[in-house]
Amino acid sequence: MSSDLPERLTYGEWTRALKEGRLLGQACGACANVLGTPKGACPHCGTRDLETVELPTSGEVYTETTVMVPPEGVEERGYQVAVVQVGEARVMGRVDGNGGEVHVDIGDSVELTGYIKGEGDDPAPLFRPAD
Ligand SMILES: [Zn+2]
């Protein structure tokens, strides 16, 4: 792995990478699990032996849902949220084109196009259909 990757991926580093248009994840050293968001331990096997890895910024929609009742503090309604399979990991993000103009289905190819302010001030990955 390239040397600019943090040894221990924190949420802050994950967020900073996202704002640069990159997706970071963690590869478990004990099982084959790859995490799309930083965790203190592997949710599968519980080990803390997690290595920071660079994830691809394009992938396939694993599952999607349209949020009609957003969390507190989010004004919009009817936006689409997708879990995207990027390499070995899955990342949850928003789909570009709110109000139903752009809709993706399970299995569609999508790519990272930026980020969007999600719940609170936390940025969420923003995906759009790949050409
Ligand atoms: Zn594991």
Side-chain angles (χ1 to χ4, degrees):
M1 287 299 132
S2 71
S3 56
D4 72 323
L5 294 175
E7 195 177 326
R8 270 323 288 175
L9 184 64
T10 63
Y11 186 74
E13 280 152 352
W14 183 86
T15 298
R16 196 176 56 198
L18 174 62
K19 289 181 173 177
E20 292 170 354
R22 301 159 71 206
L23 288 174
L24 297 184
Q26 291 171 305
C28 178
C31 71
N33 198 23
V34 182
L35 313 175
T37 45
K39 298 270 194 309
C42 174
H44 280 219
C45 67
T47 184
R48 297 183 169 272
D49 178 18
L50 299 170
E51 186 196 3
T52 305
V53 292
E54 184 113 30
L55 300 172
T57 53
S58 58
E60 238 181 43
V61 176
Y62 173 74
T63 184
E64 54 78 25
T65 187
T66 298
V67 178
M68 298 309 290
V69 182
E72 201 173 337
V74 177
E75 294 289 320
E76 321 170 60
R77 279 166 170 68
Y79 59 83
Q80 196 178 18
V81 172
V83 176
V84 179
Q85 183 86 42
V86 284
E88 298 298 306
R90 287 180 191 147
V91 179
M92 191 157 99
R94 288 272 294 271
V95 178
D96 198 7
N98 296 301
E101 301 138 45
V102 176
H103 186 88
V104 295
D105 291 309
I106 292 168
D108 281 1
S109 295
V110 292
E111 60 192 11
L112 186 71
T113 181
Y115 65 95
I116 191 164
K117 191 170 155 295
E119 215 170 324
D121 279 328
D122 297 339
L126 186 64
F127 291 96
R128 68 171 178 213
D131 300 325

